[in-house]
Amino acid sequence: MLKKRIIICLDVKDGRTTKGVKFKNNLDIGDPVEMAKEYYKQGVDELVFYDIMASASGRGPILDLISRVASQVFIPFCVGGGIGSLEDIRSTILAGAEKVSLNSQAVKNPSLISEGARVFGNQCMVLGMDAARDPSMPSGYRVYINGGRVATELDALDWAKHAVELGAGEIVLNSIDADGTKAGYEIPLTKMISEAVSVPVIASGGGGTPEHLVQVLTEGKADAALIASMVHVDGYTVPGIKSDLEKAGVPVRHA
């Protein structure tokens, strides 16, 4: 079994790290630059930085803040939010990101995935997908955009496959139903997408205990687990989580 990655997500609003439940009731929990520095010291495998208001408010990425976070971490760093053009992708990478995550903008302009992959490589292009249970969709899950606020006509499984065909090199799969609940990941959704695509799938939404990570990385077939509340609020540490995963037989990376 390939080694599994632990990825910490910093949701950023107005320059501060924030945390909500199902995309609502967001609270300020700290400075993203200091938090990134601390998690890098703890040995996290990657960091994801989402500007959660950029697309909804129609602006691009905050390059200065991205640059300040990037200066503190020497691991893969992915940035999402408000990236709507090749120029946005270029400036975000120049600010220090290794990867860019396209979510709402990918739905609105799918060719941005293929253009970005052509210019910067598939490994730089990450599809961010927010999906929620919907029995009327073929796969049982509907894609949402603009921070989970706007429903699309896209089926989650179809969109994941199409995005990979376009050139996405990775998928961050976020369950809106599980987001921030700390009650466990959406295993059926994660397993379905992981088995259907040839690129790594990062499970997001619902991680509350190390056991939840074990479940999504084994039963859910995810390549990596994204966490936030566990480390931001609940006192878990990266070394502690990795130790628990190893005890459960899940291979992890060590710095």
Side-chain angles (χ1 to χ4, degrees), residues 5 30-31 33 60 108 143 158 178 188 194 225 230 234 249 253:
R5 291 172 287 155
D31 173 11
V33 179
K108 294 168 187 172
V143 175
D158 287 346
S194 296
M230 285 177 70
D234 296 341
R253 299 176 177 190

Side-chain angles (χ1 to χ4, degrees), residues 186-209:
E186 184 79 2
I187 301 297
L189 171 66
T190 310
K191 183 170 188 265
M192 175 177 65
I193 303 289
S194 296
E195 289 182 336
V197 298
S198 57
V199 302
V201 172
I202 299 163
S204 170
T209 67

Side-chain angles (χ1 to χ4, degrees), residues 26-38:
N26 286 76
L27 301 172
D28 181 328
I29 54 173
D31 173 11
V33 179
E34 288 304 313
M35 292 173 77
K37 187 176 176 181
E38 170 58 27

Side-chain angles (χ1 to χ4, degrees), residues 9-13 16-20 23 26 29 48-52 179 228 232:
C9 179
L10 301 171
D11 283 332
V12 176
K13 180 183 179 187
R16 301 283 293 174
T17 307
T18 183
K19 194 71 198 96
F23 294 92
N26 286 76
I29 54 173
V48 174
F49 172 112
Y50 286 135
D51 186 329
I52 63 170
D179 182 78
H232 298 338

